[in-house]
């Protein structure tokens, strides 16, 4: 009975998928994707048997459901978005298997609508609203003009579709040269809008506090910060024009599939079988080769050129959402021995999480990436540590823990920015103590 239900679900979903693919090819670029009536369902396995069964379910239905959060580790739920036509069947399968679940978001489109309805109402840059890619790039220009003594802009690379990707260099006027370097990037996954918004909030706060806050002044005089608010230019633009929940890049792959997961495309441990896919339509498609994506090739070459010219990178942070996590190497394997610096990674990460919690009480989980979340090969956090040589390399999963998921309302940008800025200051204070005692 269980197998029959799963087979029926897969077959009906597969037929509908074929029809939808053909239709989407016909209307590509004409209509934006809508999610009216789509639900996100949190599935909570109670034991190892249920968890193993869910992993099989995830693989079987990978092209029929959108997995927002996997359930690879003990105590970790699985969040999936499901179209109206599949909801009853999926719930019946879960009921038969006696796996607990509940609906977290009843209508995904209603949340999409609330995120964009107030955009573009002012000529001034509003840090409490989400912004288009062009607006973010204009922010880079305006921000560097607003603080010319401590902020400068640079071009990082050009995207697959020809968009310029710009960043800022943030550094104090004091200190001695050469300074140690820090890299922060946001928006590697297109649908994670809170990431660029929070990164820009942190930049604004640091610029405002330079010369006022002793810790901020000291760290800006000690370090050069290279910051990219929105790395996945094409994907992010596509979330505004066509599909709010698009994750990947927009590069052309084989057949009708589009895009690569840029956070499976880094050269370090690229192509492993954990947490990434070789199927081009998959959300976690690793790409045809390492560094196949313009934004990954361009950003890693930029960083390695800086390193070869004498810049000593000591920190690398990739801001994501969601789950409220602060993760460090390794990502590619839960079985690999942890790096020699792992104890230090944990100490600095705890400073971050404690600083964040002190503001609103928001809880973050700290730990090695693959052992805390799930294993994934070809990721930024491993490349930043192993190849760039940044001792403190992390991935941050921002708010929330699933109530809104990737569709965090704009009214949470400010609290996310405030608490993450407090966390960053605590973390940077630790860095200051280690490198400039």
């Amino acid at each position: 009975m269980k197998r029959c239900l799963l087979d029926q679900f897969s077959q009906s979903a597969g037929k509908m998928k074929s029809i939808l693919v053909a239709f989407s090819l016909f209307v590509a670029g004409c209509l934006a994707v809508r999610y009216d009536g789509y639900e996100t369902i949190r599935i909570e396995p109670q034991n190892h048997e249920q968890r193993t069964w869910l992993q099989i379910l995830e693989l079987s239905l990978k092209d029929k459901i959108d997995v927002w959060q996997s359930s690879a580790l003990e105590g970790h739920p699985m969040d999936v978005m499901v179209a109206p036509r599949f909801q009853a069947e999926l719930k019946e399968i879960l009921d038969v298997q006696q796996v607990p679940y509940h609906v977290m978001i009843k209508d995904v489109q209603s949340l999409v609508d609330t995120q964009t309805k107030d955009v573009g109402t002012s000529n001034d840059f509003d840090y409490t609203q989400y912004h288009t890619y062009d607006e973010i790039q204009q922010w880079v220009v305006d921000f560097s003009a607003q603080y010319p003594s401590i902020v400068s802009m640079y071009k990082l690379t050009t995207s697959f579709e020809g968009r310029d990707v710009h960043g800022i260099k943030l550094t104090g006027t004091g200190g001695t040269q050469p300074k140690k370097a820090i890299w922060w990037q946001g928006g590697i996954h297109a649908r994670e809008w809170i990431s660029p918004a929070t990164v820009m909030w942190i930049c604004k706060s640091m610029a405002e506090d330079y010369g006022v806050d002793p810790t901020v002044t000291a760290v800006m005089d000690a370090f050069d910060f290279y910051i990219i608010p929105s790395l996945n230019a094409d994907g992010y633009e596509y979330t505004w024009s066509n599909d709010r929940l698009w994750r990947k890049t927009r590069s052309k792959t084989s057949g009708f599939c589009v895009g690569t997961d840029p956070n499976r495309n880094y050269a370090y441990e690229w192509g492993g079988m954990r947490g990434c896919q070789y199927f081009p339509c998959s959300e976690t498609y690793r790409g045809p080769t390492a560094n196949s994506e313009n934004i990954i090739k361009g950003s890693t070459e930029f960083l390695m050129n800086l390193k070869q010219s004498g810049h000593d990178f000591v920190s690398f942070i990739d801001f994501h959402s969601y789950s409220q996590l602060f993760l460090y190497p390794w990502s590619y394997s839960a079985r690999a021995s942890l790096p020699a610096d792992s104890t230090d990674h944990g100490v600095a990460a705890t400073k971050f999480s404690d600083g964040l919690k002190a503001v609103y009480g928001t809880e973050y989980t700290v730990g090695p990436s693959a052992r805390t979340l799930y294993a994934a090969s070809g990721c930024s956090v491993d490349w930043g540590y192993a190849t760039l040589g940044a001792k403190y390399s992390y991935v941050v999963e921002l708010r929330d823990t699933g109530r809104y998921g990737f569709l965090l309302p704009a009214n949470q940008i400010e609290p996310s920015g405030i608490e993450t800025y407090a966390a960053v200051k605590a973390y940077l204070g630790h860095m200051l103590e280690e490198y400039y005692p």
Side-chain angles (χ1 to χ4, degrees):
M1 177 64 176
K2 299 172 187 175
R3 181 64 186 174
C4 181
L5 282 169
L6 181 57
D7 286 346
Q8 289 176 2
F9 183 85
S10 299
Q11 290 167 10
S12 63
K15 292 176 182 177
M16 183 59 69
K17 183 73 173 182
S18 299
I19 296 171
L20 288 175
V21 165
F23 183 70
S24 64
L25 287 172
F26 178 74
V27 299
C30 299
L31 298 175
V33 176
R34 292 187 60 84
Y35 293 95
D36 299 283
Y38 280 65
E39 293 180 346
T40 59
I41 298 174
R42 169 154 288 183
I43 306 169
E44 302 179 280
Q46 301 299 297
N47 51 51
H48 178 71
E49 180 183 11
Q50 289 185 350
R51 190 170 303 281
T52 301
W53 179 83
L54 268 183
Q55 291 169 2
I56 297 171
L57 179 75
E58 181 177 341
L59 290 173
S60 301
L61 305 180
K62 63 180 181 296
D63 301 318
K64 287 81 179 177
I65 59 176
D66 185 355
V67 178
W68 284 18
Q69 180 173 256
S70 185
S71 60
L73 297 179
E74 195 71 29
H76 205 268
M78 178 180 183
D79 298 343
V80 299
M81 183 177 70
V82 189
R85 62 188 175 277
F86 298 141
Q87 289 163 13
E89 290 91 339
L90 177 60
K91 291 172 184 176
E92 185 177 0
I93 291 171
L94 294 171
D95 288 337
V96 169
Q97 195 68 19
Q98 298 183 329
V99 181
Y101 65 89
H102 67 274
V103 176
M104 290 198 303
I105 301 175
K106 186 65 177 176
D107 181 25
V108 170
Q109 186 61 42
S110 65
L111 285 183
V112 172
D113 292 340
T114 62
Q115 286 192 315
T116 57
K117 67 179 181 180
D118 296 325
V119 171
T121 59
S122 172
N123 291 327
D124 297 326
F125 191 89
D126 187 348
Y127 286 91
T128 67
Q129 294 294 327
Y130 292 113
H131 291 275
T132 66
Y133 184 75
D134 286 345
E135 290 171 339
I136 292 173
Q137 294 306 286
Q138 186 61 48
W139 172 85
V140 172
V141 175
D142 296 341
F143 189 66
S144 57
Q146 183 179 2
Y147 298 99
S149 63
I150 57 174
V151 180
S152 57
M153 63 175 288
Y154 58 89
K155 178 180 174 180
L156 177 70
T157 188
T158 302
S159 71
F160 176 83
E161 293 181 341
R163 293 180 176 87
D164 289 338
V165 181
H166 290 105
I168 63 166
K169 179 182 178 182
L170 185 65
T171 190
T173 56
T176 59
Q177 297 292 341
K179 298 181 182 181
K180 295 187 182 299
I182 289 173
W183 175 264
W184 293 342
Q185 64 185 35
I188 193 171
H189 286 146
R191 63 189 176 187
E192 297 168 9
W193 283 12
I194 191 61
S195 169
T198 299
V199 169
M200 290 186 291
W201 186 283
I202 294 170
C203 293
K204 170 189 76 77
S205 301
M206 291 182 67
E208 290 174 345
D209 284 350
Y210 182 70
V212 178
D213 184 293
T215 299
V216 174
T217 303
V219 296
M220 286 180 59
D221 284 343
F223 300 101
D224 287 334
F225 293 81
Y226 292 88
I227 303 170
I228 299 293
S230 186
L231 181 62
N232 185 358
D234 300 339
Y236 186 78
E237 176 64 24
Y238 195 74
T239 64
W240 282 84
S241 63
N242 288 69
D243 184 352
R244 173 60 186 87
L245 292 172
W246 186 260
R247 168 187 170 96
K248 302 188 288 182
T249 64
R250 294 294 301 166
S251 59
K252 300 301 185 290
T253 56
S254 61
F256 55 79
C257 302
V258 174
T260 287
D261 184 341
N263 201 35
R264 303 295 187 272
N265 195 236
Y266 284 83
Y268 189 78
E269 292 291 336
W270 176 85
M273 295 306 294
R274 299 181 179 90
C276 64
Q277 291 290 330
Y278 58 85
F279 180 51
C281 289
S282 169
E283 292 279 26
T284 56
Y285 176 50
R286 64 194 184 187
T289 62
N291 294 330
S292 63
E293 303 311 286
N294 288 28
I295 57 171
I296 302 305
K297 183 176 186 292
S299 60
T300 55
E301 286 181 351
F302 177 87
L303 286 167
M304 292 306 291
N305 286 337
L306 285 177
K307 179 180 180 179
Q308 290 163 11
S309 66
H311 290 70
D312 179 16
F313 280 89
V314 294
S315 178
F316 181 110
I317 300 182
D318 191 359
F319 289 88
H320 289 249
S321 74
Y322 62 96
S323 288
Q324 296 175 191
L325 303 169
F326 199 84
L327 307 174
Y328 47 90
W330 299 113
S331 173
Y332 76 91
S333 173
R335 297 181 179 181
S337 298
L338 294 176
D341 296 312
S342 188
T343 298
D344 289 352
H345 293 164
V347 170
T350 301
K351 296 283 183 70
F352 178 100
S353 63
D354 288 348
L356 190 144
K357 183 179 179 180
V359 182
Y360 300 116
T362 308
E363 297 271 3
Y364 268 55
T365 299
V366 168
S369 184
R371 299 186 183 187
T372 306
L373 186 58
Y374 51 76
S377 304
C379 293
S380 62
V381 63
D382 290 351
W383 182 90
Y385 178 75
T387 305
L388 185 63
K391 175 182 176 180
Y392 293 102
S393 184
Y394 297 99
V395 57
V396 176
E397 296 282 355
L398 296 165
R399 290 187 175 200
D400 59 4
T401 56
R403 171 63 184 86
Y404 297 104
F406 301 119
L407 300 172
L408 199 69
N411 62 16
Q412 292 200 36
I413 295 174
E414 183 172 7
S416 174
I418 291 172
E419 69 185 6
T420 310
Y421 179 51
V424 162
K425 286 204 296 182
Y427 163 73
L428 290 174
H430 177 81
M431 298 281 292
L432 199 64
E433 291 175 2
E434 175 165 339
Y435 291 103
Y436 298 95

